[in-house]
Amino acid sequence: MTRTTKKMTFQTFLYEDIKLVFDKVWHRGLVYKIKQNLPSEYYLIFKSYLSDRHFQIKHGEAYSTINHIKSGVPQGSVFGPLLYLLHTADIPITPTTHIDTFADDTVIMSRHYGPQIAATRVQEHLNLIQTWLQDWRIKVNETKSTQVICTLRRSDCPHVYLNNIEIARANVAKYLGLHLDSKMTWKRTHPWTHYLPTGLDHLPAATAHTNTRL
């Protein structure tokens, strides 16, 4: 795309934040996904790893009752991040948006000449993700999620919603340690980013729909 054409587009970014990412992994749902996607020997290992776990709280000399752990994966363990990725690997994708995920950070991007279409594509993707979140008992921080509009035009994109909550607008959002602003200037991030290309010309093309899952 030419420089002039890129300046006329609207790039809508939606940054999602997952609540208590490792503490809320639903065991029954995770074990089901492992059984459906991994060889039986791995399924049996992970099922044993997650089953029959209990916890008890001590305060002073007092002890709580022993309770069964129904969700969460051990933080700091080798399996913890792997199990979370297995639990979220089937997050919905669409042909008109680009999605990147890393642990509890998710970004959805849509690009189009029309602001309404750009926002509608993100909203349609959010609707799919909302159903997926409910099915697999994953919570999001709607109030910590952010919508950023990248454009050089004066028009505006419509707001988007998740769980009937309007996602807040911002001129900059932090993703994986980088502050991404609406003009892609990299001004609020680390010194080494002055080597990165600036401006909207370097954003992905409107037809790019790759999806990164680590």
Side-chain angles (χ1 to χ4, degrees):
M1 298 175 68
T2 65
R3 180 183 180 90
T4 302
T5 301
K6 287 187 176 182
K7 286 184 177 181
M8 297 301 291
T9 63
F10 286 83
Q11 195 93 15
T12 300
F13 292 88
L14 193 285
Y15 300 89
E16 282 187 326
D17 184 77
I18 306 296
K19 290 182 179 179
L20 301 173
V21 54
F22 291 107
D23 296 333
K24 293 297 185 179
V25 174
W26 178 35
H27 285 180
R28 286 184 60 188
L30 173 58
V31 169
Y32 171 81
K33 291 184 179 184
I34 292 173
K35 186 175 183 179
Q36 295 296 312
N37 295 286
L38 295 182
S40 58
E41 55 267 30
Y42 293 106
Y43 161 71
L44 293 174
I45 291 172
F46 285 127
K47 182 181 179 183
S48 174
Y49 181 74
L50 294 169
S51 300
D52 298 321
R53 287 185 171 272
H54 301 81
F55 73 95
Q56 186 179 46
I57 299 173
K58 178 185 177 182
H59 180 69
E61 298 301 320
Y63 290 85
S64 70
T65 57
I66 297 175
N67 295 280
H68 181 226
I69 299 176
K70 298 180 181 180
S71 65
V73 293
Q75 297 189 41
S77 67
V78 174
F79 284 151
L82 174 62
L83 291 172
Y84 178 78
L85 291 177
L86 289 171
H87 187 51
T88 58
D90 61 344
I91 187 171
I93 62 176
T94 75
T96 58
T97 54
H98 173 106
I99 183 169
D100 283 296
T101 62
F102 187 87
D104 58 339
D105 291 318
T106 300
V107 58
I108 302 171
M109 181 190 74
S110 175
R111 183 176 189 169
H112 199 273
Y113 304 111
Q116 182 68 48
I117 295 176
T120 297
R121 289 175 173 178
V122 171
Q123 185 62 64
E124 290 173 347
H125 198 165
L126 282 177
N127 294 342
L128 294 176
I129 290 178
Q130 178 175 317
T131 301
W132 177 81
L133 292 169
Q134 294 169 351
D135 289 343
W136 300 107
R137 303 186 182 184
I138 301 173
K139 303 288 186 180
V140 295
N141 280 314
E142 294 92 352
T143 57
K144 290 185 178 180
S145 299
T146 307
Q147 182 186 12
V148 177
I149 310 299
C150 294
T151 185
L152 296 180
R153 293 171 60 182
R154 296 186 180 222
S155 302
D156 194 15
C157 277
H159 287 268
V160 295
Y161 298 80
L162 183 61
N163 295 320
N164 295 319
I165 298 175
E166 183 179 293
I167 302 300
R169 290 281 189 85
N171 291 323
V172 61
K174 187 176 181 180
Y175 183 68
L176 303 183
L178 295 177
H179 290 86
L180 306 178
D181 64 83
S182 59
K183 305 301 180 185
M184 289 296 173
T185 62
W186 311 105
K187 290 182 178 179
R188 292 185 54 188
T189 188
H190 301 291
W192 54 262
T193 55
H194 72 273
Y195 294 108
L196 294 174
T198 60
L200 301 182
D201 293 337
H202 301 282
L203 291 173
T207 55
H209 311 307
T210 54
N211 293 271
T212 302
R213 292 177 180 171
L214 303 178

